[in-house]
Amino acid sequence: MQFFGGSEISPSPPVPTTTGNNAHMMYVFNRNGVCLLYREWNRPLHTLNPQQDHKLMFGLLFSLKSLTAKMDPTSADKGNLGVPQLPGQGCSFHSFRTNTYKLSFMETPSGIKIILVTHPRTGDLREPLKYIYNLYVEYVAKNPLYTPGTSIRCELFNTALDQYVRSIA
Amino acid sequence: MAAIYSLYIINKSGGLIFYKDYGSKGRMDTNDSLRVASLWHSMHAISQQLSPTTGCSGIELLEADTFDLHCFQSLTGTKFFVVCEPGTQHMEALLKAIYELYTDYVLKNPFYEMEMPIRCELFDINLTQAIQKDRVVLLGR
């Protein structure tokens, strides 16, 4: 798996695929499963309370990752099902689609997981997720007042994120 | 070159009732395929809970780094899913065709017990034909 060597620090936003606000919500988790950020733009249905929802989402991603690592049809040696894997190790996944939403997923080398939930007919969001990661690096990781592992409260990040997400989905 | 790596059929409670491998590396043993199938059953259910809008019926397509997984759930809760190369088209149609074969050669077989593993020779034969036909179509493009 290749990570983002040589990516620009402040690139111009990638060309928007479609217009209109199709994004439902976004999650950012760190490698311990702590939900650092949860943004919600358009979510009419809440089945659980926020903590339970975040836990369930992290559990789903964790299990789907072990499933894809075990299912990988191109490698012969896959280890046992459910063995914890380092970021970038084993076969991961980048999105799944249901009839009501599409979930795009990215994991960075440091184990930060970025999840964007959009309309099911949204195109490939791998590049936009990398751009969101760059926003995170610029506005959160480089913020001297931010303590790693705590939830993100950076107004500038939220503004930039809202603006960008509106332009992509 | 295999376009389709494997096919799974799971019953409504998540038990694997049919598994066929079409040439993936490091073939899974029986225990692993059973575990993977029930894991998929749960992931399918959880994905419905996390939907931002009502009326979600579970994962239809999972795009991994090295494969795509297409899933079709029948009205009775039986799930059919194929693991294929990334970007393979027309898998929904193939899954519907497999479902049709299942209703014809498995459900209409008087010796078949519901929710039990599928051991029907005619189903195997016709399934192989359907997959072969699909491969020929794919290679012809």
Side-chain angles (χ1 to χ4, degrees), chain A residues 45-115:
Chain A
L45 178 70
H46 291 85
T47 46
L48 299 161
N49 69 44
Q51 276 87 30
Q52 296 287 333
D53 180 73
H54 300 161
K55 263 195 241 172
L56 196 64
M57 176 56 85
F58 188 81
L60 175 68
L61 298 168
F62 185 89
S63 311
L64 271 181
K65 240 194 102 183
S66 46
L67 180 98
T68 52
K70 185 65 199 173
M71 263 195 171
D72 183 8
T74 57
S75 84
D77 181 39
K78 289 174 283 219
N80 286 325
L81 183 68
V83 171
Q85 288 186 311
L86 295 170
Q89 202 183 25
C91 173
S92 185
F93 70 102
H94 59 85
S95 75
F96 72 75
R97 178 168 61 77
T98 75
N99 57 336
T100 53
Y101 67 98
K102 173 173 175 165
L103 182 145
S104 309
F105 166 75
M106 183 185 86
E107 189 172 27
T108 71
S110 55
I112 299 279
K113 291 181 175 67
I114 302 177
I115 296 100

Side-chain angles (χ1 to χ4, degrees), chain A residues 1 24-25 27 42-48 53-54 56-57 59-61 63-64 66-81 90-102 117-118 126, chain B residues 5-6 8 23-29 31-33 35-40 42-44 46-70 81 83-85 92:
Chain A
M1 184 176 175
H24 291 295
M25 61 247 192
Y27 301 79
N42 170 25
R43 185 177 189 181
L45 178 70
H46 291 85
T47 46
L48 299 161
D53 180 73
H54 300 161
L56 196 64
M57 176 56 85
L60 175 68
L61 298 168
S63 311
L64 271 181
S66 46
L67 180 98
T68 52
K70 185 65 199 173
M71 263 195 171
D72 183 8
T74 57
S75 84
D77 181 39
K78 289 174 283 219
N80 286 325
L81 183 68
C91 173
S92 185
F93 70 102
H94 59 85
S95 75
F96 72 75
R97 178 168 61 77
T98 75
N99 57 336
T100 53
Y101 67 98
K102 173 173 175 165
V117 179
T118 53
R126 272 177 280 185
Chain B
Y5 291 118
S6 48
Y8 298 74
S24 50
K25 280 186 196 159
R27 196 182 185 283
M28 260 187 274
D29 63 29
N31 284 329
D32 281 333
S33 54
R35 278 189 210 116
V36 159
S38 55
L39 184 57
W40 178 254
S42 334
M43 296 302 107
H44 197 271
I46 292 177
S47 72
Q48 298 175 15
Q49 286 220 334
L50 288 166
S51 171
T53 53
T54 48
C56 183
S57 58
I59 306 179
E60 290 171 352
L61 165 65
L62 171 72
E63 292 179 294
D65 297 340
T66 56
F67 65 91
D68 277 6
L69 189 155
H70 291 260
F81 59 100
V83 176
C84 58
E85 283 183 352
E92 286 78 13

Side-chain angles (χ1 to χ4, degrees), chain B residues 11 15 18 32 52 62 83 90 109 121 137-138:
Chain B
N11 66 19
F18 188 85
D32 281 333
L62 171 72
V83 176
H90 314 301
N109 183 337
E121 204 184 320
V137 172
L138 286 167

